[in-house]
Amino acid sequence: LNGYISAIAFVINELYPKETPLAEDVGIKNFFKAKLHTDMKLPNIYQETWDVQQVITVIKKWETNEKLDIKKLQEKAVVLLYIASMWRPHSDVVRIQWQDVHFQQTINGTVTGMIIIARNPKEIKSKMSKIRIIKDEQVYPVRAMWDFKERIQDKRQGVTDKDTFFLSGINTEKP
């Protein structure tokens, strides 16, 4: 496409040297800008960004949720949520509001899944993820999120439902 642009501009400039150069025409600029945005650039499929299994292996070596301090439990919940939801870490996951984490439970209170909502993601529309139960509780994002929620209840004094689910500046003392 760039080759055609150059060729057309050269011919037009040769034929009409006193006219405004084609590259400066607003209509032409808008056309090529729109064309640029319609072309989808595919990622390099041969280059891995990171291996999820390596992260899961590390998390499996951590202590159980009950033995982790609150800061480490929050870290575990965030990382597992990144993997399960495939959302952007800083613009979506850490901005999740308390009111946007909905746990699903059986009649007897067993947690079976959760629904999370991102009200203001980088994309235009809100988005939602449903995360269900998996067998390995050590790497189960819903269990980590539930345990974290239960452990920070007392630290949320004066915090509203519109504040973020995850906390900054939490201490590292074990409960």
Side-chain angles (χ1 to χ4, degrees), residues 14-72:
E14 287 296 312
L15 294 174
Y16 307 100
K18 294 182 182 177
E19 296 292 321
T20 303
L22 192 61
E24 294 177 16
D25 183 88
V26 175
I28 298 293
K29 283 182 178 181
N30 288 340
F31 169 78
F32 284 107
K33 185 186 273 186
K35 178 64 177 151
L36 180 67
H37 289 292
T38 60
D39 288 342
M40 187 167 84
K41 190 173 184 179
L42 296 175
N44 183 347
I45 61 172
Y46 300 105
Q47 180 181 357
E48 288 185 33
T49 306
W50 54 290
D51 186 356
V52 172
Q53 187 57 50
Q54 290 178 351
V55 176
I56 291 172
T57 300
V58 168
I59 291 174
K60 282 184 173 188
K61 292 177 184 176
W62 292 357
E63 295 181 274
T64 61
N65 292 351
E66 296 76 25
K67 293 181 180 177
L68 291 174
D69 62 52
I70 293 173
K71 187 174 183 177
K72 195 70 169 179

Side-chain angles (χ1 to χ4, degrees), residues 87-96 118 120-122 127:
W87 288 5
R88 290 182 173 89
H90 294 291
S91 61
D92 296 345
V93 172
V94 298
R95 291 185 182 165
I96 294 170
N120 300 309
K122 246 184 170 171
K127 57 186 170 183

Side-chain angles (χ1 to χ4, degrees), residues 4 11 13-14 27 30-31 53 68 70-71 85 97-99 106 110 115 124 126 129 135-136 145 149 154-155 165 174:
Y4 290 122
V11 171
N13 288 341
E14 287 296 312
N30 288 340
F31 169 78
Q53 187 57 50
L68 291 174
I70 293 173
K71 187 174 183 177
S85 68
Q97 296 176 353
W98 186 264
Q99 66 184 349
T106 62
T110 304
I115 298 172
I124 294 173
S126 299
S129 286
K135 292 181 182 179
D136 190 345
M145 293 281 288
K149 177 189 86 77
D154 63 324
K155 297 185 182 317
F165 186 86
K174 290 186 180 181

